Amino acid sequence: MTAGQVKDILRKPDARSLARLLGQPDFAPVYEEADRVRREQVGDVVHLRAILEFSNVCRRRCRYCGLNAVNADVTRYRMTEEEIVDTARRAAQAGYRTLVMQSGEDPYYTPERLGRLIQEVKKTGMAVTVSCGEMEKSAYAYLRVCGADRYLLKHETADPALYRRLHPCGTLEERVRCLRILKGLGYETGGGFMVGLPGQTLETIGQDLLLLRDIPCDMAGIGPFIPHPQTPLKGSASGSTGLTKRAVALARLLLPRANLPATTSLGVLNAGEKNDVFSCGANVVMRKVTPDAYKRLYEIYPANLPPTDILSDRRELENQIRALGRVPH
């Protein structure tokens, strides 16, 4: 397959044509085209984001997530407002320009509390990405007024039947409605999905990619599914890192100017693949700044994470990016 043939398919893609493309034995032409588009549209800069997981309390019952509400083996926590703001300040001092404020769907953090935190974090000069799940339109609007720049809300799967099986606590229709509301309110809107969910097909991934384009999303997190031992999917196989990279490459071609991260989950399964995805269209990496006392408790999927030192972790990440021939930002 040539780059020209790839372009022809992507002029009017549907889920089936994307599935056929994902299944091609030789994907090199797609990777090369994705890297060319990435370089042309967003350059060689890799954006480094700090991610702060400030609560692992969640009212949802998602069947793949270690933080699901029915998992009684999780030690739950909520960071205080002082802890959150102090960590944000240290992240800014280390050189981060964006803080991703992430939590489960925790009703304790009302729009008013979140808005107050966003206002304090904005005083550091950082942009703020919020990732706290589904809310009412009025709440999203309030957080926007308080200074939130971006909102990350992964749809996880665009297959309605698969969504129902994995989410006994919500619907795909509602998730997509929230994404459209966020887009309408002027947020840089982030979606995303997992690769390798039980029951997923290549055509499902095609649907996922088309949904990202349809919103359209300004950023998209695409990572492999990793089973958690305290969930109903504990015996399932992990998602393919190779297929994940293929999905990222196609996302770059469908959303040329989007921010596409090399997800943490990709590095958990294969650190080399996480670096390699930068040649397949990715241009963002997130680094946890969650304090050690809490970081090991925020376990959506199993991950052996080293202790956090915000400044030295940032410097190490910058060196890794430079070694790949890219420019850390």
Side-chain angles (χ1 to χ4, degrees):
M1 178 173 291
T2 65
Q5 289 172 314
V6 173
K7 289 179 183 178
D8 286 341
I9 292 172
L10 293 177
R11 282 195 180 96
K12 290 186 177 180
D14 58 27
R16 287 185 178 179
S17 65
L18 291 176
R20 288 194 296 271
L21 194 52
L22 285 164
Q24 286 292 317
D26 180 13
F27 209 72
V30 184
Y31 287 142
E32 291 167 6
E33 180 65 8
D35 197 39
R36 183 193 67 78
V37 169
R38 184 272 312 157
R39 187 170 53 254
E40 190 176 87
Q41 296 293 326
V42 298
D44 289 331
V45 169
V46 174
H47 299 281
L48 313 185
R49 317 289 202 206
I51 181 166
L52 175 58
E53 300 145 330
F54 61 91
S55 169
N56 72 348
V57 177
C58 191
R59 62 186 175 187
R60 294 277 177 169
R61 293 178 286 130
C62 306
R63 291 169 59 83
Y64 49 79
C65 181
L67 303 185
N68 72 81
V70 296
N71 184 359
D73 294 326
V74 179
T75 300
R76 303 289 178 174
Y77 73 87
R78 293 181 175 117
M79 291 177 63
T80 66
E81 293 187 24
E82 292 76 13
E83 287 175 312
I84 293 168
V85 174
D86 177 67
T87 303
R89 287 173 181 153
R90 288 189 289 121
Q93 290 165 0
Y96 288 103
R97 303 185 186 193
T98 295
L99 183 72
V100 182
M101 296 177 58
Q102 181 167 294
S103 71
E105 285 199 15
D106 184 353
Y108 173 81
Y109 290 99
T110 61
E112 291 72 26
R113 278 196 173 99
L114 282 175
R116 187 164 60 244
L117 285 166
I118 290 165
Q119 290 170 334
E120 288 299 314
V121 172
K122 291 288 284 188
K123 291 177 184 178
T124 68
M126 289 190 292
V128 173
T129 299
V130 180
S131 182
C132 298
E134 294 180 9
M135 299 181 184
E136 295 296 325
K137 181 177 181 179
S138 59
Y140 287 144
Y142 179 73
L143 299 185
R144 184 81 176 110
V145 169
C146 289
D149 302 281
R150 309 180 184 111
Y151 203 101
L152 176 59
L153 184 68
K154 294 182 179 181
H155 69 267
E156 305 301 4
T157 177
D159 179 331
L162 182 56
Y163 195 98
R164 283 193 299 272
R165 291 202 297 273
L166 296 175
H167 303 88
C169 46
T171 66
L172 177 61
E173 180 182 19
E174 178 62 17
R175 182 58 55 110
V176 173
R177 187 183 77 87
C178 287
L179 283 164
R180 296 195 188 283
I181 287 172
L182 290 163
K183 187 71 178 180
L185 289 171
Y187 281 93
E188 286 187 39
T189 304
F193 58 92
M194 285 180 281
V195 172
L197 285 166
Q200 184 186 66
T201 66
L202 292 181
E203 193 165 324
T204 309
I205 297 174
Q207 293 171 348
D208 289 322
L209 290 164
L210 292 173
L211 177 57
L212 293 176
R213 191 184 69 163
D214 183 56
I215 297 296
C217 287
D218 304 286
M219 49 187 178
I222 302 170
F225 163 69
I226 301 176
H228 192 288
Q230 295 166 355
T231 68
L233 301 186
K234 61 185 177 182
S236 304
S238 295
S240 163
T241 55
L243 186 54
T244 299
K245 290 194 303 179
R246 291 183 175 212
V248 171
L250 288 179
R252 172 58 66 200
L253 296 175
L254 292 168
L255 294 163
R257 294 198 57 79
N259 284 320
L260 302 178
T263 61
T264 305
S265 57
L266 189 59
V268 167
L269 292 181
N270 189 317
E273 296 278 34
K274 184 174 181 180
N275 289 337
D276 193 39
V277 77
F278 288 111
S279 65
C280 306
N283 70 319
V284 175
V285 65
M286 296 185 185
R287 181 59 61 95
K288 292 174 183 281
V289 297
T290 309
D292 291 334
Y294 305 116
K295 184 168 65 173
R296 63 182 180 81
L297 302 176
Y298 198 90
E299 195 176 74
I300 294 173
Y301 50 80
N304 294 317
L305 300 172
T308 297
D309 181 88
I310 294 176
L311 181 58
S312 63
D313 285 354
R314 165 81 189 200
R315 297 295 174 263
E316 178 187 9
L317 188 55
E318 289 175 353
N319 290 335
Q320 290 171 351
I321 296 302
R322 290 190 186 98
L324 295 172
R326 300 295 175 81
V327 181
H329 184 266

